[in-house]
Amino acid sequence: MSTTRNPDRLVLFTDAVVAIAVTLLVLPLVEVVTESKTEGLTAVEVITEHRPQIFTFLLSFVVIVRFWLVHHRVFEHVRRYNTRLIQLNLGWLLLIVILPFPTEIIGSFETSRFTSGLYIGTILVLSLCQSGLVLMIRRHPDLEDPDNPVTRGELINSIVTAGLFGLAFVLAALVPNVGFYALFLLFLTPVISRPLAKRTA
């Protein structure tokens, strides 16, 4: 495919798919209200009895929005696209669309090494796809906007984030009782990436 194509259409398609994925997140909560009414629960009990589902919805909403915002910033550096960039972007979208599935699992079942590993593992692969997009754009001058190139800091931040997700996945999947607390490792992203960016500048 020619690399002379404007990326606006690809970005608009991506935005539409992300919006659908966010909508899918809330559908189980809508069903919960109907089921609770049938079971005779009060409105307050709908909230108190389904706190895990509400928490996982909010968590995944934040995750998707965060990745979408970074994706938007990444594509500000793109002036053209080719087949490989489309394929990698489709992989990124696939993980976004899949995320409501592990979200429903962790909201419906007790936290275990499997459920937390499945959820964090999905986000890990999503983060790797995002890092791949950043790396591809930075390494291909024919795709990158010369007036707005990907900075070294953005690349390092992306790689550090993926690395911390990888560490979080290992801890959640292998260490008992760690669960989603492993995600707190992501707060270390600026602590690690900023000194690295300055050191390699």
Side-chain angles (χ1 to χ4, degrees), residues 115-153:
T115 57
S116 55
L118 175 65
Y119 184 78
I120 297 176
T122 303
I123 302 176
L124 168 61
V125 180
L126 175 59
S127 183
L128 290 172
C129 283
Q130 191 143 286
S131 294
L133 286 170
V134 176
L135 191 60
M136 179 181 292
I137 295 165
R138 181 175 171 84
R139 288 189 171 181
H140 291 77
D142 53 332
L143 304 179
E144 187 179 50
D145 183 354
D147 297 323
N148 184 23
V150 176
T151 66
R152 185 183 298 271

Side-chain angles (χ1 to χ4, degrees), residues 5-6 9 14 17-18 27 32 35-37 58 74 92 98 114 121 137 139 147 153 161 174 176 184:
R5 302 193 179 194
N6 188 292
R9 186 177 181 185
T14 300
V17 175
V18 171
L27 292 182
V32 159
E35 294 171 358
S36 299
K37 176 66 175 178
L58 293 174
V74 168
W92 184 91
I98 286 176
F114 174 78
I137 295 165
R139 288 189 171 181
D147 297 323
T161 300
L174 300 181
F184 283 110

Side-chain angles (χ1 to χ4, degrees), residues 8-10 17 20 38 42 57 61 102 107 122 129-130 151-152 156 158 166 179 197-198:
D8 288 350
R9 186 177 181 185
L10 182 59
V17 175
I20 292 171
T38 304
T42 66
F57 160 73
F61 178 85
T122 303
C129 283
Q130 191 143 286
T151 66
R152 185 183 298 271
I156 291 174
S158 179
K198 291 179 180 179

Side-chain angles (χ1 to χ4, degrees), residues 182-200:
L183 290 174
F184 283 110
L185 286 171
L186 273 298
F187 287 109
L188 295 175
T189 300
V191 177
I192 298 173
S193 60
R194 287 174 185 169
L196 285 175
K198 291 179 180 179
R199 186 180 303 173
T200 57

